[in-house]
Amino acid sequence: MNTLESNHDRDDRAAGVLLGAACGDALGVPYEFAARLSEEEVPAMVGGGLGPYAPGEYSDDTQMAVCIAESLRDHDDPRSGPALEQTARAFLTWRRDGATDIGAQTARVLGDTERALADDGAGETGAAEAMTRLSARMFGAGERSAGNGSLMRTAPLALAHLDDRHQLAETVRVYSLLTHGDPLAAQACVLWCEAIRQAVVDGSDEGPRSGLDLLESHDRDTWAGHLAEAEDSPPRAFAPNGFVVRALQAAWSAIAHTPVEAGDRNRYAAPVWAAVRAGDDTDTVAAIAGALVGARWGRSAVPEEYLAAVHGWPGYQADGLAKLAGEIVRRHGG
């Protein structure tokens, strides 16, 4: 393969991250917290769900991912104060103007942040600083803080660190902590984003095991066990899946139990259908799985009917999401 072909393939896989997540999200929307589909039923972008959504419309999973992606497009250093502040402010704007659905934990943190900023008459408190502090306070108080809401949105970060896995891991932790103070959430995001990064770079199918060494040594065996459970059990075994560990397990199980080859017509769709069939939080599990499957196989593997239909806040369609992915990669030297 020559350099031109190699670059084209990587660009295709980079676009597949955002498109794969958004299409998975839109496929899962109609079935969220509804009766689980049978193994014979094929998910479709028919809309409805908790929104209710239009056919092909993605939900909070992709809406929040777009907030992060636009900040990555606009800033050289994802962990800089301005980049984090733009992301946090975008989350708050989304909550007020665009949220068609929002998880309880995320809603609590964003609502508390709005009130903290309103109480700061001098305007000296940054949104990102307040958000992270309030998220940590929830965790410190023993409240549930390991939902799947950061895992569902952090895939774009992989595109900003294609050549540095250690920087990616550090960035992912910072962005997870904006709303999820439990280290488990950050660990899940590190594993999944590293799997995405590696898939974009070289088409790897190693998955989240590739990131185990990025975790603290005392966490690696625990997560290796979680991944082994996912590889041994079908996706439906991990419902309910609002807990971040079970959401990751459901998504990885769907991929691991749906082997596909490069020539398979449904190499993107089949694993994502399996994620939807896991049941419970279907849009989130399918968005998580879709980001990794899209990273592996690229935009070119996503069915044209999905690309024609997918859309959502604040006005993106397939071409816009692909362009956004490309802008992130170019800005960050990937």
Side-chain angles (χ1 to χ4, degrees):
M1 182 182 296
N2 63 40
T3 301
L4 184 61
E5 289 173 331
S6 178
N7 289 342
H8 176 271
D9 289 345
R10 193 161 91 154
D11 289 346
D12 185 56
R13 292 194 294 268
V17 174
L18 292 184
L19 289 170
C23 289
D25 187 352
L27 277 168
V29 153
Y31 313 101
E32 186 176 17
F33 304 124
R36 182 186 291 126
L37 295 180
S38 71
E39 295 302 310
E40 292 72 37
E41 292 178 283
V42 176
M45 289 184 180
V46 295
L50 301 183
Y53 296 90
E57 184 178 4
Y58 55 71
S59 72
D60 56 329
D61 311 88
T62 308
Q63 292 163 3
M64 294 194 81
V66 163
C67 293
I68 293 174
E70 289 182 334
S71 181
L72 299 175
R73 175 198 62 195
D74 295 342
H75 297 278
D76 291 332
D77 181 0
R79 284 180 286 165
S80 69
L84 286 165
E85 188 68 10
Q86 178 174 326
T87 299
R89 294 281 177 178
F91 286 170
L92 297 177
T93 298
W94 164 76
R95 175 179 176 268
R96 292 190 302 268
D97 302 335
T100 46
D101 183 23
I102 183 169
Q105 181 181 335
T106 298
R108 165 78 180 280
V109 172
L110 298 190
D112 287 351
T113 302
E114 287 273 25
R115 287 185 284 275
L117 295 178
D119 291 343
D120 179 14
E124 295 177 353
T125 301
E129 176 188 352
M131 200 173 288
T132 303
R133 182 180 71 251
L134 292 164
S135 171
R137 182 183 298 174
M138 278 183 64
F139 175 63
E143 299 184 54
R144 292 183 178 180
S145 302
N148 60 27
S150 62
L151 179 59
M152 74 184 192
R153 69 174 190 243
T154 44
L157 294 167
L159 300 177
H161 293 293
L162 291 178
D163 298 324
D164 195 326
R165 63 199 300 269
H166 294 284
Q167 281 193 13
L168 172 61
E170 290 305 310
T171 300
V172 165
R173 291 185 180 99
V174 171
Y175 277 77
S176 180
L177 289 169
L178 282 170
T179 55
H180 289 64
D182 195 316
L184 275 174
Q187 292 161 15
C189 294
V190 167
L191 293 177
W192 207 254
C193 285
E194 170 56 17
I196 290 170
R197 185 200 69 81
Q198 193 166 90
V200 171
V201 169
D202 60 15
S204 168
D205 63 354
E206 186 176 353
R209 287 187 177 278
S210 64
L212 285 171
D213 66 303
L214 295 170
L215 303 181
E216 297 294 333
S217 58
H218 56 270
D219 296 318
R220 293 171 193 165
D221 287 345
T222 300
W223 274 103
H226 293 324
L227 296 178
E229 289 176 357
E231 292 154 4
D232 289 341
S233 301
R236 65 179 178 273
F238 303 101
N241 38 52
F243 175 42
V244 69
V245 174
R246 292 181 72 82
L248 186 149
Q249 287 177 307
W252 182 232
S253 174
I255 295 170
H257 286 85
T258 314
V260 293
E261 300 294 337
D264 291 351
R265 179 176 179 273
N266 290 325
R267 60 193 183 278
Y268 166 81
V272 176
W273 294 342
V276 175
R277 295 189 192 108
D280 199 56
D281 199 353
T282 50
D283 59 330
T284 295
V285 174
I288 295 166
L292 181 52
V293 178
R296 171 82 195 286
W297 298 116
R299 172 184 179 155
S300 57
V302 181
E304 285 298 327
E305 60 267 32
Y306 295 172
L307 296 176
V310 73
H311 69 284
W313 182 90
Y316 280 99
Q317 297 178 319
D319 286 346
L321 291 171
K323 179 182 178 184
L324 181 57
E327 289 171 335
I328 295 169
V329 172
R330 287 191 293 275
R331 175 140 205 160
H332 296 276

